[in-house]
Every structure is written in structure tokens, then in C-alpha cells.
Amino acid sequence: MGNSEKTKNYLENYRKKLDEILEQIDATVLTQVIDVMIAAFKSKNTIYVVGNGGSAATASHMQADFSFFVRYFTKFRPNIIALTDNVPIITAVGNDTSFDDIFVEQMRGRFKPNDVLIAISASGNSPNLVKAVEYANSIGGNTIAFIGFLGGKLKDLAKVPLYTPNPKGDYGPIEDIHMILNHVIVNYLSTDEEFLALTEN
């Protein structure tokens, strides 16, 4: 089998993995995610996004999409912050206290009741995400988790867990799906009448 055929077969198998995960997305839960975000935008609350590694990149991408795409195509200015992006604070907290605290320390004194925390994780078990979700819940925040594998602790901790199972350790496809979910939400909101009504205010 030539390299071209091997590549073609691998690509097809990878596509099938993505299709299998996409088919497992619960549209009802995705609607809950969107509703929580719209409610936060309506009430002028802030949405915070966190993740590690590839999921940190997705968190930053989500902030970029909402900051640029939504602002570019509407008059609305959504308040969404990726806590993955302040490298000095992350390294200071990680060095001086614990890497497990890099997100929760940024939330203290800033995160308010009815603010939203979106935690993105393949495993759902990252200690720094677990602590952040626990903190958000403790002060009356709304918590959302994008999770894969077996769901992990975030499946039970998050108020709205968007769980799409996939084989443990197979990071690529689940991280791809989380990025797709970001794009689905952003593009959906750009056509949603309720959301667009906010842009006129």
C-alpha cells in the first residue's frame, strides 16, 4: 500500500471518529449552553473560559471569536474572557502556590454570582478546572463543561455538562469537536433573533 493510500485510509478513519462524536452531541444540552450564555449577555454578566493544552487554545479561540466575529457582524459587545491568556499571572501562581490554582486565583474578587464559567477538558479531571468550577458553583455562578472520554469529575460538577464520550487518551478528535462546538455556538448566535435583539441595545 502506497503512502497516498495509507493517508487516505487514515483520513477516512479520523473523519469517522469525528462523525461518531458529533452524532452523540445532545442538542438539548447544547441549547442549555446557548441559553445560559444568552442569559449572561442579557444581564451584562461575564463569561470566563478555561482549559489546558489544546483546550486552552480553544478557550482563547472562543474569546477571539466572540470578541471579533460577534463584534464585527453586530453592534453587541459580549463580555467573555479566557483565563488562559494572562501568562504572567499563570506562571506566578503556578510557581508560588500551585498550578492547580492558576484559574481560581484569577477568579477570586472578579467572578460574580450569575457569571458563567466554561471549562473545556478532554478528561474532565484536570484539578485546576475542577477547582475553578467548584469555586464558581460556591458563589452562585453558572458552570458549563465541554468534556469527553469518560466525563470525569466535571461531568457531575458542572451545572450544564456537554458530554460527548470518546476513547480515553484519544485527544485529537475530542479537541476538534470542542472547537467545532465553539464555532457552532458563535455562528448560531449570529442568526438567533433573541441574541440579535441584544445587539440593538
Side-chain angles (χ1 to χ4, degrees):
M1 183 184 296
N3 286 336
S4 177
E5 192 64 24
K6 288 180 181 178
T7 302
K8 180 180 178 181
N9 289 341
Y10 190 88
L11 177 61
E12 178 63 18
N13 288 332
Y14 197 92
R15 184 191 63 78
K16 288 179 179 178
K17 289 180 182 180
L18 293 178
D19 287 343
E20 289 172 359
I21 302 174
L22 281 169
E23 288 174 359
Q24 295 180 82
I25 294 174
D26 188 332
T28 300
V29 179
L30 181 56
T31 300
Q32 293 173 7
V33 170
I34 292 169
D35 287 346
V36 167
M37 295 180 74
I38 290 176
F41 293 142
K42 274 185 173 181
S43 60
K44 309 292 187 188
N45 281 94
T46 302
I47 296 176
Y48 297 90
V49 196
V50 292
N52 295 299
S55 298
T58 301
S60 297
H61 193 117
M62 181 174 282
Q63 175 179 298
D65 280 352
F66 274 92
S67 296
F68 178 75
F69 183 87
V70 173
R71 292 183 183 189
Y72 185 79
F73 288 101
T74 76
K75 298 176 183 178
F76 187 61
R77 298 295 182 263
N79 195 11
I80 182 165
I81 298 172
L83 296 179
T84 52
D85 291 354
N86 194 323
V87 175
I89 290 180
I90 289 172
T91 54
V93 173
N95 184 65
D96 295 347
T97 56
S98 169
F99 189 76
D100 294 352
D101 296 329
I102 62 171
F103 299 129
V104 73
E105 283 301 323
Q106 294 185 69
M107 295 167 66
R108 296 187 194 282
R110 168 193 267 180
F111 193 93
K112 302 291 190 294
N114 296 317
D115 280 349
V116 178
L117 178 69
I118 301 176
I120 305 170
S121 173
S123 71
N125 285 320
S126 300
N128 52 12
L129 301 186
V130 170
K131 289 188 77 168
V133 169
E134 288 176 336
Y135 178 77
N137 286 339
S138 73
I139 61 172
N142 292 308
T143 51
I144 295 167
F146 292 177
I147 43 179
F149 296 175
L150 300 176
K153 295 178 181 178
L154 293 181
K155 184 182 176 185
D156 296 321
L157 281 175
K159 294 180 181 178
V160 185
L162 187 50
Y163 171 48
T164 47
N166 72 306
K168 186 177 181 181
D170 199 5
Y171 284 89
I174 195 63
E175 290 182 354
D176 292 337
I177 295 299
H178 290 163
M179 183 66 79
I180 290 171
L181 286 170
N182 165 55
H183 289 149
V184 167
I185 293 168
V186 169
N187 284 278
Y188 174 84
L189 287 177
S190 72
T191 64
D192 180 70
E193 292 182 1
E194 182 179 2
F195 177 74
L196 291 176
L198 298 176
T199 70
E200 302 303 319
N201 299 324

